């Protein structure tokens, strides 16, 4: 299934739940994290519902490549001028809370709230 009606990020991607969007294209939506851990904290989310890197496969190679290459552009456009951190939480051991693959993009002036 390309989307899961019970998944909050699928619902945000489809415009069924509100978010502060900073980017959208045919493959991705990016929006501000509701609990920012840094002055700039964006979530970069593929439109396709993939649970995590644990369930991703070779068919997602192009999507994953595009996601990484989009990050520096979003960082620059949103005020993370001097670099940024990317985090992907995977599974319970990785502290994942939302089971729809996403990149945390964090940046901006330090100190940050948590790392
Ligand atoms: P993870 O699954 O990588 O552990 O984290 C999920 C992230 O999504 C958390 O940083 C949390 O603050 C964020 N988040 C959870 N629900 C919402 C929501 O409804 N809207 C937005 N903008 N962020 C959310
Ligand atoms: Zn989803």
């Amino acid at each position: 299934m390309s989307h899961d009606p019970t998944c909050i990020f699928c619902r945000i991607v489809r415009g069924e739940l509100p978010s502060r969007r900073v980017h959208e294209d045919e493959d991705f939506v990016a929006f501000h994290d509701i609990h920012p851990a840094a002055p700039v904290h964006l979530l970069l989310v593929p439109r396709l519902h993939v649970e995590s890197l644990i369930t991703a496969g070779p068919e997602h190679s192009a999507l994953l490549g595009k996601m990484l290459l989009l990050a520096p552009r979003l960082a620059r456009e949103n005020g993370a001028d001097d670099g940024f951190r990317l985090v992907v939480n995977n599974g319970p051991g990785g502290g994942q809370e939302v089971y729809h693959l996403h990149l945390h993009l964090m940046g901006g002036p330090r100190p940050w709230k948590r790392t």
Side-chain angles (χ1 to χ4, degrees):
M1 186 162 51
S2 68
H3 82 280
D4 172 350
T6 67
C7 165
I8 60 170
F9 284 179
C10 281
R11 298 192 66 198
I12 286 176
V13 161
R14 293 159 70 82
E16 295 165 7
L17 290 176
S19 68
R20 290 170 57 213
R21 282 189 188 206
V22 297
H23 174 85
E24 52 190 307
D25 62 40
E26 60 175 343
D27 293 316
F28 302 101
V29 173
F31 48 89
H32 289 274
D33 195 295
I34 205 166
H35 292 126
V40 178
H41 186 168
L42 305 177
L43 299 173
L44 174 50
V45 180
R47 290 186 184 273
L48 184 70
H49 180 85
V50 179
E51 272 195 8
S52 72
L53 290 175
I54 298 168
T55 58
E59 69 275 25
H60 302 117
S61 299
L63 191 72
L64 293 170
K66 280 193 208 174
M67 189 155 68
L68 287 177
L69 290 170
L70 183 54
R73 182 183 139 195
L74 292 181
R76 199 170 55 242
E77 290 176 354
N78 288 279
D81 302 321
D82 63 347
F84 57 91
R85 173 178 294 176
L86 296 180
V87 171
V88 185
N89 298 324
N90 294 278
Q96 186 172 6
E97 290 171 7
V98 178
Y99 279 77
H100 179 133
L101 178 67
H102 52 279
L103 272 189
H104 293 257
L105 190 166
M106 288 169 274
R110 288 172 182 271
W112 296 354
K113 243 186 237 171
R114 53 183 157 91
T115 54

